[in-house]
Amino acid sequence: MINFLMATAKKQFSDIAQLADVIWREHYIPIIGLEQVDYMVKNFQSAEATYVQFIDGYHYFMIYFNNHLVGYLSIKKEDETLFLSKIYVSKEYRGKKIGKSAMNFIEEKAIEMHCKSITLGVNRFNVSAIAAYKAMGFKIIGEMITDIGNGFIMDDYKMEKLIL
């Protein structure tokens, strides 16, 4: 069974950060390298960073599969768009329809928030994620190159799915 729990307590953000550290190292080191992963985990995926994002209006949800924390997601309403900031599932739980359930959950939130679309950024070399998003109805609508400091950039595609 797949459940989503909104994170509001610092302990929950600590649990998310521990999971993020594992997921990011296994998935992103081959794509962006160890130095950039270390930098991004510390500055964007740590308990402190995610809690500040929560205070700034991002909604974090912990994803549970059979009562085990297996992933997390973060969303924020921006005008009539729901921005999907983060969606990650542990490697050993991929292929169990958790990502699909999470996207259905996100679409429900978008409808509740009266959004007309969902947007996200995905690393242009993250081919498996791009394929998954396309299979779920997202389209590439642009490119985003973002300077994130310390000499690093995020080289992403901007993707969008219209909500009918």
Side-chain angles (χ1 to χ4, degrees):
M1 182 156 69
I2 301 167
N3 295 309
F4 301 90
L5 176 67
M6 182 180 252
T8 57
K10 287 192 175 183
K11 167 71 170 106
Q12 292 170 311
F13 288 95
S14 178
D15 292 343
I16 289 169
Q18 289 177 3
L19 186 60
D21 190 65
V22 172
I23 292 171
W24 270 70
R25 290 182 190 292
E26 71 187 13
H27 188 76
Y28 285 105
I29 288 173
I31 298 173
I32 60 176
L34 177 61
E35 283 185 63
Q36 187 165 344
V37 167
D38 285 343
Y39 178 80
M40 292 183 75
V41 166
K42 177 183 174 193
N43 290 283
F44 305 110
Q45 304 290 330
S46 68
E48 298 79 16
T50 54
Y51 189 75
V52 167
Q53 292 164 25
F54 163 68
I55 297 299
D56 287 343
Y58 286 83
H59 300 269
Y60 273 82
F61 294 89
M62 304 165 80
I63 305 170
Y64 287 88
F65 181 75
N66 294 335
N67 297 317
H68 291 84
L69 178 61
V70 300
Y72 65 102
L73 62 93
S74 175
I75 56 176
K76 185 177 185 183
K77 184 174 181 181
E78 297 178 340
D79 298 319
E80 294 184 329
T81 296
L82 187 67
F83 174 59
L84 174 55
S85 174
K86 299 170 179 64
I87 181 169
Y88 299 105
V89 175
S90 295
K91 184 179 184 177
E92 60 269 24
Y93 290 95
R94 293 181 199 141
K96 300 184 184 303
K97 308 277 186 217
I98 296 168
K100 177 85 169 132
S101 293
M103 288 306 299
N104 290 338
F105 176 81
I106 292 161
E107 285 186 36
E108 290 170 14
K109 290 296 178 190
I111 292 166
E112 285 173 21
M113 296 178 184
H114 307 287
C115 294
K116 295 182 178 179
S117 66
I118 300 169
T119 60
L120 59 86
V122 59
N123 184 288
R124 64 183 348 181
F125 301 106
N126 192 350
V127 293
S128 60
I130 292 166
Y133 290 132
K134 284 182 175 180
M136 289 185 255
F138 283 82
K139 295 186 178 355
I140 295 172
I141 60 168
E143 297 178 359
M144 303 182 305
I145 298 177
T146 309
D147 184 337
I148 58 170
N150 212 41
F152 297 116
I153 61 160
M154 290 192 322
D155 189 2
D156 294 344
Y157 287 128
K158 182 175 185 178
M159 299 186 79
E160 179 180 53
K161 180 177 184 176
L162 299 177
I163 305 296
L164 304 176

